[in-house]
Amino acid sequence: MNKVGILVFVLFSSEFFPFGNSVNVTTRPDVVNIGALFSFNSTVGKVARVAIEAALEDVNSEPGVLNGTKLKLTMQDTNYSGFLGIVEALKLMQNETVAIIGPQLSVTAHLVSHIANELHVPLLSCAATDPALSSLQYRFFVRTTQSDLFQMAAIADIIEYYEWRNVIAVFVDDDHGRNGISVLGDKLEESRAKISYKAPMRPGATRNEITNLLVKVDLMDSRIFVLHTYPDWGLEVLDVAENLGMLGSGYVWIVTDWLSTVLDTYSPVSSNVIANVQGVVTLRMHTPDSKQKTNLVTGWSNLTSRKASNSPFGLSTYGLYAYDTVWLLAHAIDKFFSQGGNISFSKDSRLAQLGLGGGKLPFDALSIFNGGELLLKSISEVNMTGVTGPIKFTSDGYLNHPAYQVINVVGNGYRRIGYWSNYSGLSIVPPEILYRKPPNRSSSTQQLHDVIWPGQTTQKPRGWVFPNNGRELRIGVPNRVVYREFVSLVQGPDTFGGYCIDVFTAALNFLPYALPYKLIPFGDGHNNPKVSDLISQVSAGVYDAAVGDFAITTNRTRMVDFTQPYIESGLVVVAPVRKRNPNEWAFLRPFTPMMWCVTGIFFLVVGVVVWILEHRINDDFRGPPKRQIVTVLWGKNSQHFRPCSAIHLAVHSFNTDLELHC
């Protein structure tokens, strides 16, 4: 009886008093619905589709991952359309989907993220790289690949490494292109470089539109081009550039990782395509070598032949991240259940108030995932190792240790010329080795192998030419009234002469090219202009430079850069040069006659004072007047002369108590 009573009491207390050390045990469902949004016929979409299906099979074949629960995947084709992306996302969310892998395009991700925020369904995108998607506005968007924030930082470091200052950005004019180039501009400003011109093109631009755009940018001075677009359109841009001669010697093309995706997916690439990208520098997301990665790469051809309806294709880094995304989601769902989460949905009261039910797409079928917050938290806390390496999110929602390979397209393929990582910058050593050392981003440690540039040259391109539609340099020259030997306005329209102008023209003669310029007078010629005003206008961009005899001061160096001084400054003594014939009286020339007279008078005065003090007590100062006069003049040579007498008198004149002994 006692044993039964104790058993009843324990069951009763654990049911009605769920506190203390009780354990919350949740029954796991047999199936969990997840979805995927991709453009199946795109370069990234076709690879991601096969990788996701392969990862799903691997997860479901291992009962220990989800402890018996299976993942059920529903994939929808967005077909490069933001509108279709919204429709397909709504279809997925009607079926009690707890998470969606995708969307592929950043444009679609911006739109669908608003739906995900409302219904609390996490989006895990392995292809949307727009940096703006990391904003706190998109709480339920999780990026499981690298952000373009780091890709643009890598491009900016490459441009700084080669000491270029102006680049032209050619990009697709949508959220993906605009936001990526905006970040590139910010990164370039950190190294005192800039985007001199932005050349946007609409998504799906025709060949004529691309041609007109490239003809326009080819008239400008910069020869450094950054191409940021999609894999399926980027090759068309480079083909037009090749036909226009913009892939020849002197040009530089740095393209984002879409080109490496094309090279990996369609390897070997046709000879026509590879001929249009010779000398191009591109990036590829770096994934360290591992046994898991080797196994997936080895079996990829079998996967594509079995799952793809068309001819087999290669495995790109986006496919690797798509594969890991499924595993990441599986580990997050397992942790979700371990923390007491359950799959349940509730009606959205705001949708019910709008009365949008009925029709082929009834909005009243959309429900809020009650466990969305907990699942999102579980995703952010995942710490695993996949085919792409260690997977862990930072506090900002980025994957830890972003890194890229820097690739140069040469011959029938490409060669890796180095690496970039957010930890150590540019290097020729894999980032995973540098992670073991303290971070070092100094300029002396930045390294890349030699690049074969367009035109089959290894010499670094200068990066700019004089534009065909360019303007002359506007150079301000002070129109002074004084010191006209340095700068002066001579006869003729805006013609100057003087020492400073001669130095300026001599420096121009050392340039290996012609420099068009125009000298513009600053001032009315009647009053001296203020140099500080001229320098301020150079700083403000009114003038491109200034030539003149300017003093270099601290305040002025804060506004503009000065050349090395070509006139020595300092204190000098200017004295007239007189030619005189030497004679026996030359020793008198250092002093004027008046100075000699004053010197003689002082000599006599001193002698008289000495005589007055000495003649009463010194026998040498007595006798005939002639003798006394001689003694006065030569008294200090006398053996009995006591100069302390004069000192004694002087001391007493100051009322001191100093005692002198002679």
Side-chain angles (χ1 to χ4, degrees), residues 428-570:
I428 56 177
V429 180
E432 52 268 22
I433 297 178
L434 298 177
Y435 293 151
R436 308 168 191 166
K437 304 177 181 179
N440 189 354
R441 296 295 296 268
S442 62
S443 58
S444 60
T445 62
Q446 304 300 293
Q447 288 181 312
L448 287 176
H449 291 298
D450 292 336
V451 178
I452 299 179
W453 303 102
Q456 299 298 312
T457 178
T458 57
Q459 183 178 2
K460 185 193 77 172
R462 186 173 61 190
W464 60 272
V465 295
F466 287 105
N468 296 327
N469 61 344
R471 61 176 179 85
E472 299 175 323
L473 290 179
R474 296 170 53 86
I475 300 178
V477 181
N479 190 10
R480 296 185 182 276
V481 180
V482 296
Y483 304 119
R484 301 179 65 85
E485 295 82 3
F486 290 99
V487 175
S488 62
L489 185 64
V490 299
Q491 294 181 354
D494 299 339
T495 304
F496 287 86
Y499 179 71
C500 295
I501 303 300
D502 294 340
V503 173
F504 173 69
T505 55
L508 293 182
N509 293 333
F510 283 99
L511 296 177
Y513 47 83
L515 180 66
Y517 66 92
K518 181 179 181 181
L519 300 178
I520 303 174
F522 180 76
D524 55 11
H526 302 290
N527 299 297
N528 288 326
K530 293 183 178 180
V531 176
S532 298
D533 294 342
L534 175 57
I535 293 177
S536 298
Q537 294 198 22
V538 173
S539 177
V542 178
Y543 299 103
D544 298 310
V547 175
D549 51 328
F550 306 130
I552 303 176
T553 64
T554 302
N555 291 333
R556 293 175 182 175
T557 56
R558 294 191 180 104
M559 294 186 290
V560 297
D561 293 329
F562 287 88
T563 63
Q564 290 295 324
Y566 51 85
I567 300 177
E568 292 185 1
S569 61

Side-chain angles (χ1 to χ4, degrees), residues 292-348:
Q292 292 173 277
K293 178 181 175 181
T294 302
N295 293 337
L296 180 60
V297 172
T298 303
W300 181 256
S301 58
N302 294 331
L303 291 174
T304 54
S305 60
R306 180 164 49 92
K307 295 180 179 295
S309 57
N310 299 325
S311 59
F313 43 81
L315 175 61
S316 65
T317 52
Y318 285 103
L320 297 176
Y321 279 103
Y323 183 88
D324 276 349
T325 300
V326 177
W327 278 93
L328 185 151
L329 179 58
H331 285 290
I333 293 175
D334 178 64
K335 187 174 184 179
F336 168 79
F337 288 131
S338 299
Q339 293 177 344
N342 60 81
I343 307 298
S344 63
F345 294 83
S346 60
K347 295 296 183 181
D348 190 340

Side-chain angles (χ1 to χ4, degrees), residues 113-439:
S113 291
H114 295 287
I115 304 175
N117 287 346
E118 181 68 23
L119 301 181
H120 295 185
V121 177
L123 303 176
L124 292 83
S125 179
C126 58
T129 58
D130 178 10
L133 288 170
S134 298
S135 170
L136 297 177
Q137 176 185 5
Y138 307 109
R139 290 183 58 247
F140 282 85
F141 178 85
V142 180
R143 194 195 321 271
T144 59
T145 187
Q146 302 296 347
S147 169
D148 278 342
L149 171 68
F150 304 108
Q151 181 169 208
M152 296 306 169
I155 293 176
D157 283 352
I158 293 173
I159 293 171
E160 181 183 10
Y161 176 78
Y162 290 108
E163 299 179 341
W164 295 315
R165 288 292 175 261
N166 295 305
V167 303
I168 294 176
V170 182
F171 59 97
V172 59
D173 193 12
D174 62 4
D175 294 327
H176 171 70
R178 285 192 304 269
N179 295 333
I181 294 301
S182 177
V183 171
L184 175 62
D186 295 338
K187 295 298 182 180
L188 289 175
E189 288 181 359
E190 296 177 4
S191 58
R192 301 187 65 180
K194 65 177 182 179
I195 299 176
S196 59
Y197 185 76
K198 294 182 179 181
M201 56 183 177
R202 71 176 183 86
T206 64
R207 190 175 181 86
N208 287 336
E209 292 173 337
I210 297 174
T211 301
N212 294 335
L213 180 67
L214 294 184
V215 168
K216 183 179 180 180
V217 299
D218 194 34
L219 297 176
M220 300 178 181
D221 55 349
S222 179
R223 285 295 178 262
I224 313 299
F225 296 94
V226 176
L227 179 58
H228 184 44
T229 180
Y230 297 106
D232 304 279
W233 301 330
L235 291 177
E236 184 76 12
V237 176
L238 292 177
D239 182 56
V240 173
E242 171 66 21
N243 293 334
L244 294 176
M246 296 176 65
L247 278 166
S249 180
Y251 288 87
V252 175
W253 284 84
I254 303 175
V255 304
T256 48
D257 61 355
W258 63 263
L259 180 57
S260 63
T261 302
V262 171
L263 297 177
D264 292 337
T265 305
Y266 301 108
S267 179
V269 183
S270 65
S271 58
N272 294 333
V273 172
I274 203 70
N276 294 335
V277 294
Q278 291 295 305
V280 173
V281 174
T282 184
L283 299 176
R284 174 201 283 147
M285 289 181 287
H286 175 67
T287 56
D289 294 332
S290 63
K291 183 178 180 180
Q292 292 173 277
K293 178 181 175 181
T294 302
N295 293 337
L296 180 60
V297 172
T298 303
W300 181 256
S301 58
N302 294 331
L303 291 174
T304 54
S305 60
R306 180 164 49 92
K307 295 180 179 295
S309 57
N310 299 325
S311 59
F313 43 81
L315 175 61
S316 65
T317 52
Y318 285 103
L320 297 176
Y321 279 103
Y323 183 88
D324 276 349
T325 300
V326 177
W327 278 93
L328 185 151
L329 179 58
H331 285 290
I333 293 175
D334 178 64
K335 187 174 184 179
F336 168 79
F337 288 131
S338 299
Q339 293 177 344
N342 60 81
I343 307 298
S344 63
F345 294 83
S346 60
K347 295 296 183 181
D348 190 340
S349 59
R350 290 188 290 184
L351 284 176
Q353 293 174 359
L354 294 177
L356 298 176
K360 294 183 178 180
L361 186 62
F363 286 94
D364 55 0
L366 299 175
S367 302
I368 297 177
F369 176 34
N370 297 326
E373 294 281 357
L374 181 58
L375 179 58
L376 181 64
K377 182 175 180 292
S378 300
I379 293 172
S380 63
E381 295 175 351
V382 168
N383 187 358
M384 56 170 275
T385 299
V387 295
T388 59
I391 298 176
K392 184 180 180 181
F393 292 100
T394 65
S395 58
D396 297 326
Y398 300 114
L399 288 178
N400 203 18
H401 292 315
Y404 287 85
Q405 298 177 10
V406 186
I407 295 173
N408 180 210
V409 182
V410 181
N412 295 326
Y414 53 84
R415 51 191 288 265
R416 185 174 58 241
I417 60 173
Y419 301 88
W420 179 92
S421 69
N422 194 41
Y423 185 81
S424 57
L426 298 172
S427 68
I428 56 177
V429 180
E432 52 268 22
I433 297 178
L434 298 177
Y435 293 151
R436 308 168 191 166
K437 304 177 181 179

